[in-house]
Amino acid sequence: MPSQQPTESVLNPIVIVGAGHSGVAVAAGLRSRGWEGDILLLEAEKEAPYERPPLSKELLKAGAPDESTVLRKEKFYHDKRIDRRAGLTVDAIDPAGRTVELSDGSRHGYHRLVIATGSRARSLTVPGAELPGVQALRTRDDALELKRALVPGARVAIIGAGYIGLEVAAAAAAKGCDVTVLEFQDRVMSRVTSEPVSRFFERLHEQNGVRFVFGAAVTAVEGSDRAERVVTADGAAYPADVVLAGIGVVPNQELAAEAGLQCQDGILVDDDGRTSVPGIYATGDVTRFTSTIDGASQRLECIQNAMAQADRVAADITGQAPADPEIPWFWTVQHGVRLQTAGVRHPDDDVIVRGTPAEVKFSVVYLRDGRLAAVDTIAGLTDFRPAKKLIAQKTRIDPLLAADPGTPLTDAAFAAS
């Protein structure tokens, strides 16, 4: 189907606010779908858009180059006639006039506006959080600052045992740092996985010298000229030269909210990325939407979702059909062990372990009302691809067969009735 092109005698550009994975993918998707109008891509950071996942993984390793992998080479933007402008933010949106005001004082009209502002690290708000030595990890500059601080013997306190906190813990331990992870919950990655997976990774980290303190409510960071210790509610103090706050992210929705778009811990969008205001779309980490799988309201922080939403936005703008939706998937690598997840687990799902965690290669499947809802694969991908298909098909699974790692997951499916 040919791309729908606007009929205005003077064509305003499609303006994309944010040049992360999703923003760049929207621009690329528009061109691949035949859009011929102007595209203005705005990015607050001054460097070329780059890959984010390596910031807490490869970039922190000893001997790894400081350069980030760019999402697209400059030649791509030139060849595709994408006007990429770095170091600029949008200060205000005027939906009625279909204009945006930029940080340099200029105003630009838009034919369609795409908000892809992503998310930012949640700030640590306890006394002492502003001391040198306390930081988050969200940008390349954050990663380079952390990399310089992770030297042998450095005392590292990580607040939060999610993906970022644990990836940094692994990198710090590998560099010979003294690592303590302070987590308010009673296990690691409690928001995203089940207890068997949590306990496996706890043991893995402990075998590599990482200490965990659970039930830890951080109340202060203390020090004279820089961070020296982290204090918890029970009065305990943990020496620290480096403090990383890995306590989650918040969506950068303020610009949208000020323009009157509906927001609720994320900009609310429909299946095609359309917001509550005509002519304005949103995509990526900044959005909240209703899952087509289980009807749950969710905000997903993963590259796969950012790319899938970008495709749907580009398809809707050009009047074409989007690609078939893909099951959300996520991944992390800690101490060389890869955890890959498909689907979104709920806390009350039935948990079935396939294999033996002690053998460092197993899977965990999650059943919801008898249907496969999610899967975790640890150090192996045998179950990953079949599970994605079964999740998409909302397949009912025999729990006894699913518990046998020798039975292919597809053979554990009940025949369709």
Side-chain angles (χ1 to χ4, degrees), residues 4-76:
Q4 287 184 355
Q5 302 294 331
T7 57
E8 293 96 330
S9 57
V10 178
L11 173 63
N12 283 325
I14 292 177
V15 175
I16 304 170
V17 187
H21 286 270
S22 209
V24 171
V26 170
L30 287 168
R31 287 295 185 234
S32 68
R33 290 178 176 276
W35 185 262
E36 298 176 357
D38 291 342
I39 299 174
L40 176 59
L41 178 63
L42 304 170
E43 172 56 38
E45 293 189 51
K46 293 184 178 180
E47 57 188 303
Y50 54 86
E51 297 272 1
R52 300 280 177 168
L55 299 181
S56 57
K57 302 178 181 72
E58 289 84 355
L59 191 145
L60 296 180
K61 293 179 179 178
D66 289 347
E67 294 77 18
S68 300
T69 302
V70 296
L71 294 175
R72 298 278 189 170
K73 295 182 179 180
E74 284 300 324
K75 186 176 186 297
F76 169 82

Side-chain angles (χ1 to χ4, degrees), residues 7 26 30-31 39 58 63 67 102 113 123 142 165 170 181 186 194 236 247 260 272 294 318 324 339 341 356-357 389:
T7 57
V26 170
L30 287 168
R31 287 295 185 234
I39 299 174
E58 289 84 355
E67 294 77 18
L102 306 189
L113 178 66
S123 299
D142 293 338
V181 178
D186 62 354
S194 60
I247 52 177
D272 295 311
D294 58 12
T318 58
D324 292 336
L339 164 64
T341 299
T356 305
K389 293 181 180 179

Side-chain angles (χ1 to χ4, degrees), residues 195-218:
E195 185 158 349
V197 179
S198 292
R199 300 308 178 199
F200 169 82
F201 278 96
E202 287 165 20
R203 290 191 296 271
L204 178 65
H205 279 273
E206 288 168 347
Q207 290 165 2
N208 285 273
V210 177
R211 291 188 298 275
F212 289 102
V213 181
F214 294 108
V218 173

